[in-house]
Amino acid sequence: MSRPSQRAGRSGESDRSEAADGIEERFGGAEHLGGKEEFDVIVVGARCAGATLGALLARRGLRVAVLDQATEIRSTLSSNILQADSLAFLNRLGVWERLRAAGVTTMSHIDMRLEEFRCRAAFPQEPGDVGGAACIRREVLDPVLVDAARSSGAEVRLGTRVVAVIREGGRVTGVRAVSGGVETRLRARLVVGADGRNSKVAEACGSRMYHVSPGERSYYWTYFEGSDTGPRPTFVFHRWGDRHMLGGPADNGLYIVGVSPQQHERESFRADLDGSLHAHAMRCAPIAEALAGATRVSRIYGIRRFFGYFREAAGAGWVLLGDAGHFKDPAGGRGIGDAFHQAERLADGVADAIGSRAGIDRAVAEFGRWRDRTYAEYYGLAADLGVTGPIAGVVPRVVRGLHARGRLDGVLNLLSHRSSVLEVLTPARVLGATGGHLLRAPGQRRATLGELGRLATTEIRRRNAMRKPVFQSSPAPTPAQQDTPEPELSR
């Protein structure tokens, strides 16, 4: 996909050949130089993407090092929502029972509101599923994934800061890493950047951003204890007007509440986070019912002034995984699910190609093309859910029609990426819903047709953009701001 990858594909050099001197692309200081170690794959980042990939590759017999600068895996900025496909993956990975023992429970139903349409339904399930959705805090999930990588045979090194990538003969061949003040050279056939939105590996490898899209909303979430979730554990997803709220049972008896301030109240919201979040939650009936008598037991987490993007996925000897390579509006809650999905796909391609440099380069280039094809329409869907103001009126009209015909599963499968946007919002359904609306409300003809025209124009623009990437020409946007001014509450 990237130009370095194309150069590597023409080289045809043997795995055994090396340049006499390496070139180090540094992004941090280091001290003493230690020994040299050899791996098949080095993964930078030991969170959802990196630890999972490490486990999968090690199980295929590869020698893998998973490095993370954190000395202890703790909470990180995340909505913590996992859909059915992600839960099924965790079961295939062999960690589901351990997560259940750590206090993880699942949600079987959804209470969904899109503008004035509201319904309650069971999540669709497929063979191998263990639940419809779950909220798993990262301090519960990530250590289990790290242990899975370690028990699978990967060498996990926490407290290890990668300070440079090493290039030889035009390709990345390893990293320099510092632990305990000692710098070590680690070599590998492939270096994977799984180090998040502000990826240092992406920066060192010269990966460019494209399809950069500023987020229009800000999001805040927190956890309550003592909630009443009723007889059916239910995920609440309400989006109406300029409001967006979610709620549901989380691990260890907690209840997550997520809200997005309206455009006109963003600054006043931050002035009184606790009061503002509570007032928002009370405007959503099912969340208000669940919180009757509950107590907030965590800080209020937040993200604002973020942007969505794709980065060039791969080059000679390197590839980006998870948020390092692609990030979209959190409205869809797919960050963890995307990390698992990508790790599983990349592991298969890399494991089959690890014997040759040319094979590895082809595998990671194909992974990049697959990633862009797969996530293009979901990128647009997340942006559409994350707009300020109401979502396009045709969406709830189509969903209402599908619900009336008993075909809501396709809509709910959008959350787990088991159905595509164009399978649900087909041209025939969009036109049918629009025509029906015009018959019922002829006075809204101009506004309705104008909205339809804007949707069509946006979709055409997005498709054209994915065929011909528009790279970020100016300096990279300011990193997303983590908005957590409160200290952690004691429990």
Side-chain angles (χ1 to χ4, degrees), residues 22-264:
I23 300 174
E24 301 161 19
E25 300 289 343
R26 308 183 65 85
F27 45 84
E31 298 180 14
H32 307 291
L33 180 63
K36 183 173 70 175
E37 299 180 75
E38 304 277 347
F39 296 91
D40 292 313
V41 179
I42 294 170
V43 183
V44 182
R47 292 289 187 167
C48 286
T52 299
L53 180 67
L56 294 171
L57 291 176
R59 292 176 187 183
R60 298 285 291 267
L62 277 63
R63 188 177 182 203
V64 183
V66 180
L67 316 177
D68 201 293
Q69 64 182 352
T71 56
E72 182 180 354
I73 299 299
R74 298 178 178 175
S75 176
T76 189
L77 190 66
S78 173
S79 65
N80 304 323
I81 302 298
L82 287 79
Q83 296 79 19
D85 64 316
S86 301
L87 304 183
F89 170 79
L90 290 170
N91 195 34
R92 294 196 302 275
L93 192 66
V95 300
W96 181 243
E97 290 307 317
R98 180 173 173 186
L99 287 168
R100 286 177 61 87
V104 171
T105 59
T106 63
M107 293 176 270
S108 59
H109 288 71
I110 185 170
D111 182 326
M112 181 172 64
R113 177 179 178 180
L114 299 174
E115 300 306 331
E116 298 311 310
F117 168 72
R118 181 182 174 189
C119 68
R120 300 175 183 83
F123 280 112
Q125 295 283 272
E126 296 184 0
D129 283 356
V130 295
C135 178
I136 311 176
R137 291 171 301 153
R138 297 293 292 275
E139 57 264 46
V140 175
L141 175 63
D142 289 8
V144 171
L145 297 176
V146 168
D147 286 348
R150 189 177 282 120
S151 64
S152 297
E155 190 166 326
V156 178
R157 300 183 185 181
L158 302 182
T160 301
R161 181 168 57 93
V162 174
V163 297
V165 298
I166 303 169
R167 294 184 185 273
E168 297 178 353
R171 70 182 295 111
V172 172
T173 58
V175 302
R176 288 184 181 272
V178 175
S179 179
V182 176
E183 183 182 294
T184 304
R185 177 193 293 256
L186 284 72
R187 291 186 46 123
R189 299 169 183 264
L190 179 67
V191 172
V192 180
D195 50 342
R197 293 187 305 276
N198 302 321
S199 172
K200 295 298 185 181
V201 174
E203 179 183 348
C205 293
S207 175
R208 297 175 295 175
M209 284 186 177
Y210 51 100
H211 307 327
V212 175
S213 175
E216 296 186 17
R217 307 190 70 88
S218 52
Y219 300 95
Y220 295 88
W221 60 97
T222 190
Y223 293 88
F224 289 81
E225 192 173 62
S227 63
D228 179 5
T229 58
R232 299 187 302 187
T234 299
F235 178 58
V236 179
F237 185 92
H238 282 203
R239 179 73 168 86
W240 81 98
D242 198 23
R243 298 187 184 279
H244 186 185
M245 303 187 193
L246 64 84
D251 62 82
N252 290 285
L254 300 180
Y255 190 93
I256 186 173
V257 174
V259 306
S260 180
Q262 298 181 93
Q263 187 174 21
H264 72 273

Side-chain angles (χ1 to χ4, degrees), residues 182-449:
V182 176
E183 183 182 294
T184 304
R185 177 193 293 256
L186 284 72
R187 291 186 46 123
R189 299 169 183 264
L190 179 67
V191 172
V192 180
D195 50 342
R197 293 187 305 276
N198 302 321
S199 172
K200 295 298 185 181
V201 174
E203 179 183 348
C205 293
S207 175
R208 297 175 295 175
M209 284 186 177
Y210 51 100
H211 307 327
V212 175
S213 175
E216 296 186 17
R217 307 190 70 88
S218 52
Y219 300 95
Y220 295 88
W221 60 97
T222 190
Y223 293 88
F224 289 81
E225 192 173 62
S227 63
D228 179 5
T229 58
R232 299 187 302 187
T234 299
F235 178 58
V236 179
F237 185 92
H238 282 203
R239 179 73 168 86
W240 81 98
D242 198 23
R243 298 187 184 279
H244 186 185
M245 303 187 193
L246 64 84
D251 62 82
N252 290 285
L254 300 180
Y255 190 93
I256 186 173
V257 174
V259 306
S260 180
Q262 298 181 93
Q263 187 174 21
H264 72 273
E265 61 183 358
R266 288 184 184 175
E267 293 308 315
S268 62
F269 188 99
R270 296 184 71 248
D272 179 15
L273 279 178
D274 185 44
S276 298
L277 187 142
H278 185 267
H280 269 250
M282 292 303 104
R283 293 189 180 98
C284 182
I287 293 178
E289 293 170 6
L291 294 185
T295 303
R296 182 164 69 90
V297 292
S298 82
R299 71 177 68 173
I300 297 173
Y301 302 88
I303 181 173
R304 63 192 183 108
R305 296 179 186 169
F306 59 88
F307 56 93
Y309 58 83
F310 288 80
R311 283 193 180 109
E312 290 175 301
W318 62 272
V319 64
L320 302 179
L321 185 67
D323 286 351
H326 168 55
F327 179 76
K328 52 182 169 286
D329 194 295
R334 277 298 302 187
I336 299 173
D338 286 356
F340 293 162
H341 193 205
Q342 292 177 35
E344 198 166 28
R345 176 78 178 213
L346 183 61
D348 287 342
V350 168
D352 291 340
I354 200 65
S356 79
R357 287 181 170 181
I360 291 172
D361 291 346
R362 284 194 297 269
V364 296
E366 171 52 33
F367 167 79
R369 291 188 290 270
W370 167 85
R371 183 202 67 183
D372 284 11
R373 289 193 308 268
T374 300
Y375 296 122
E377 64 177 50
Y378 298 115
Y379 186 60
L381 174 64
D384 290 342
L385 286 173
V387 298
T388 54
I391 60 176
V394 69
V395 174
R397 290 195 288 268
V398 169
V399 174
R400 183 189 297 274
L402 290 171
H403 178 256
R405 297 193 295 273
R407 301 179 65 179
L408 193 64
D409 282 5
V411 177
L412 299 181
N413 277 332
L414 280 174
L415 300 175
S416 58
H417 288 193
R418 285 174 167 172
S419 60
S420 73
V421 177
L422 293 180
E423 287 173 345
V424 175
L425 297 175
T426 64
R429 288 171 180 165
V430 169
L431 291 173
T434 300
H437 179 66
L438 289 175
L439 289 174
R440 291 187 297 272
Q444 299 180 19
R445 177 182 177 86
R446 176 175 293 182
T448 301
L449 293 179

